[in-house]
């Protein structure tokens, strides 16, 4: 839509923001994270993960925002990806490159994170 | 927790990030928005909304991140608030000051937004 914004934090991949999802129900993976200092290969890997996720079965969309200015507070970020089913989420979690990225995340990139899997029951949008 | 980060975008209110929520199930309101230019009273109202939400029955936590650097792309932000029930979400939606803020959001602050209500079925966290 012309009135919507194409943006993705940490990524060259252009995705609509807010994500344009089909009618509910569908699933959301809410990933809230605080980054460690420096890049350490994170940006390139984040781009690659979006590329990979888009090609997974059941992928519906992704929204990602990080506040790079809140440096003293660990650069908080929220990424929400949307999926057609729990099975699609499971397949994505177990994708081989994604597994390697998850390991790097725990070893290097994240000071902390919390991941929540949720079923979207109702939604609505507004465009000026 | 000492290892977690206290941060809230656009707000003087200090909340833990990621939010410390009770065991699932509980509900999430995922609010993805792109801001219009300027502040126009948004920051102060955002602070006030967090203060009010914290005092509502069934409030469990809130995480909010905005990328102020992505100016050309509408300053995307994601706020996720967590609630014990759909009834608690409904009461918050209809809180009088919050209703006034929602109206201002549509009239002034947001270029676009999408709101999703989701039931968190499973979650886990990581702290370095």
């Amino acid at each position: 839509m012309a009135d919507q914004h194409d943006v993705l934090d940490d990524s060259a991949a252009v995705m609509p923001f807010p994500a344009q999802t089909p009618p509910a129900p569908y699933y959301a993976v809410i990933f809230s994270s605080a980054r460690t200092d420096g890049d350490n290969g994170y940006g390139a890997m984040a781009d690659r993960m979006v590329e990979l996720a888009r090609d997974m079965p059941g992928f519906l969309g992704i929204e990602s925002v990080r506040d790079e200015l809140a440096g003293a507070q660990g650069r908080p970020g929220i990424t929400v990806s949307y999926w057609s089913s729990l099975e699609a989420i499971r397949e994505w979690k177990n994708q081989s490159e994604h597994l390697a990225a998850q390991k790097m995340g725990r070893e290097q990139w994240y000071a902390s994170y919390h991941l929540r899997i949720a079923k979207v029951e109702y939604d609505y949008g507004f465009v000026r």
Side-chain angles (χ1 to χ4, degrees), chain A residues 4-108:
Chain A
Q4 291 209 330
H5 304 267
D6 289 327
V7 59
L8 196 75
D9 173 65
D10 294 330
S11 176
V14 175
M15 300 286 289
F17 187 96
Q20 293 167 39
T21 39
Y26 52 88
Y27 286 86
V29 178
I30 306 165
F31 183 75
S32 307
S33 65
R35 289 269 284 110
T36 52
D37 291 340
D39 184 69
N40 307 311
Y42 173 81
M45 184 69 96
D47 284 356
R48 175 68 181 149
M49 288 306 110
V50 173
E51 281 179 23
L52 284 174
R54 294 172 76 161
D55 288 338
M56 294 293 291
F59 174 83
L60 301 178
I62 187 166
E63 298 164 343
S64 192
V65 176
R66 188 167 302 281
D67 182 358
E68 296 288 352
L69 299 178
Q73 296 154 316
R75 292 185 293 169
I78 301 175
T79 297
V80 189
S81 58
Y82 300 101
W83 302 87
S84 62
S85 69
L86 291 174
E87 178 58 25
I89 293 170
R90 201 155 29 230
E91 282 182 34
W92 169 235
K93 180 179 170 57
N94 292 322
Q95 199 276 351
S96 58
E97 276 190 65
H98 188 204
L99 283 173
Q102 291 168 50
K103 185 164 181 284
M104 289 288 286
R106 289 185 298 271
E107 288 176 0
Q108 287 204 30

